[in-house]
Amino acid sequence: MPIYTGKFITLEGGEGAGKSTQLAIIKSEIEQAGIEVVVTREPGGTPRAEAIRQLLLSRDAEPMPESCELLLMFAARSTHLHNLILPALKRGAWVLCDRFTDASYAYQGYGRGLSLAQIENLERWVQDGVKPDLTLLLDVSVEIAMQRARLRNQSQGLGEGDRFEIEQNAFFERVREGYLQRAQAEPNRFQIVNAGLDLDAVSTATRQVIRDFIRKANQ
Ligand SMILES: Nc1ncnc2c1ncn2[C@@H]1O[C@H](COP(=O)(O)OP(=O)(O)OP(=O)(O)O)[C@@H](O)[C@H]1O
Ligand SMILES: [Mg+2]
């Protein structure tokens, strides 16, 4: 397991939960505490990982086997971890990542039905013990999240969505349940934020969580 002094924070939740919106708030709180923060996302974060992201999200004629989807996620994670996340953590910066391995469990495990034990094997191999220090789970009903994502895509002229966004409600319900089960299993790492509230209320809850985390990190 690599040694580092920075803190690794991840944001999780379904599409439209408000991850990108809350990310900006967390970033500014960390910066205000005088700490360098590197903001990134998965799948992606480095040029090679962003190229893999395109492969994962685009709706091509060639079907995507579930095992291929999972392996591409971890292939992207490997290059992201070694070339961006770990170097930043080693120089003492904090890393704030929009989705990480919990998403592989939620989407490919609970959503697609792939073996959780298989995902654990990949996690052990690729990450060698590196795990987030804090994970904020933005939990919201599938209905509200879908409505938000739809409105956003419309207002940004984004069309009907990527390969994940076109999934059925039952898939997103399984993803949500998967996230909640992971949060229950690791209550020290996870903080669940009720993301179904209005923007001000969600932002206040997020601020509270990150301020507490910064205070404890400084003790
Ligand atoms: N608490 C909230 N109440 C109402 N609307 C919100 C709230 N939080 C975010 N939104 C809006 O909902 C849309 C989706 O939010 P955002 O893009 O942050 O979600 P996301 O989790 O990053 O989604 P994705 O997984 O698709 O990237 C945006 O248009 C955003 O402005
Ligand atoms: Mg987003």
Side-chain angles (χ1 to χ4, degrees), residues 125-145:
W125 179 44
V126 169
Q127 295 170 225
D128 189 24
V130 176
K131 272 193 161 197
D133 298 293
L134 170 69
T135 298
L136 258 95
L137 173 57
L138 296 171
D139 181 57
V140 59
S141 73
V142 171
E143 202 185 4
I144 294 179

Side-chain angles (χ1 to χ4, degrees), residues 19-67:
K19 295 180 296 300
S20 302
T21 309
Q22 297 304 315
L23 196 93
I25 290 169
I26 299 174
K27 175 178 187 273
S28 94
E29 288 291 329
I30 298 171
E31 282 172 346
Q32 276 175 43
I35 300 163
E36 183 199 353
V37 59
V38 173
V39 175
T40 185
R41 68 169 179 183
E42 287 217 342
T46 69
R48 184 179 300 111
E50 288 289 331
I52 297 173
R53 180 189 180 91
Q54 288 310 311
L55 295 176
L56 278 161
L57 298 188
S58 68
R59 291 158 59 189
D60 304 314
E62 179 185 350
M64 173 80 77
E66 289 163 352
S67 56

Side-chain angles (χ1 to χ4, degrees), residues 30-219:
I30 298 171
E31 282 172 346
Q32 276 175 43
I35 300 163
E36 183 199 353
V37 59
V38 173
V39 175
T40 185
R41 68 169 179 183
E42 287 217 342
T46 69
R48 184 179 300 111
E50 288 289 331
I52 297 173
R53 180 189 180 91
Q54 288 310 311
L55 295 176
L56 278 161
L57 298 188
S58 68
R59 291 158 59 189
D60 304 314
E62 179 185 350
M64 173 80 77
E66 289 163 352
S67 56
C68 181
E69 181 177 290
L70 178 64
L71 290 167
L72 283 176
M73 287 291 182
F74 273 94
R77 184 160 301 135
S78 169
T79 197
H80 185 211
L81 192 65
H82 289 286
N83 294 317
L84 189 138
I85 297 176
L86 282 172
L89 292 172
K90 283 177 181 169
R91 68 168 188 265
W94 287 22
V95 173
L96 179 54
C97 191
D98 192 333
R99 293 208 166 150
F100 196 62
T101 308
D102 292 302
S104 300
Y105 285 95
Y107 282 76
Q108 283 71 47
Y110 290 85
R112 303 270 190 236
L114 290 178
S115 150
L116 300 178
Q118 188 71 270
I119 301 175
E120 273 171 31
N121 283 333
L122 288 168
E123 179 182 19
R124 253 195 304 275
W125 179 44
V126 169
Q127 295 170 225
D128 189 24
V130 176
K131 272 193 161 197
D133 298 293
L134 170 69
T135 298
L136 258 95
L137 173 57
L138 296 171
D139 181 57
V140 59
S141 73
V142 171
E143 202 185 4
I144 294 179
M146 300 271 268
Q147 199 181 351
R148 283 185 194 163
R150 228 184 350 257
L151 278 172
R152 180 200 52 195
N153 290 356
Q154 269 170 15
S155 72
Q156 296 182 5
L158 290 176
E160 60 175 331
D162 62 37
R163 215 170 50 75
F164 289 96
E165 287 173 349
I166 56 169
E167 279 295 334
Q168 303 299 309
N169 269 14
F171 174 83
F172 294 117
E173 294 287 359
R174 291 196 297 277
V175 168
R176 183 186 186 198
E177 182 55 32
Y179 272 133
L180 288 170
Q181 284 195 22
R182 291 193 59 75
Q184 241 171 28
E186 287 185 72
N188 291 331
R189 172 165 70 89
F190 273 92
Q191 291 287 336
I192 302 178
V193 169
N194 178 357
L197 306 175
D198 66 51
L199 190 51
D200 271 359
V202 179
S203 305
T204 302
T206 299
R207 269 204 185 87
Q208 194 59 52
V209 169
I210 190 63
R211 283 179 185 170
D212 284 351
F213 183 81
I214 292 169
R215 190 169 37 74
K216 283 184 194 137
N218 284 335
Q219 273 170 5

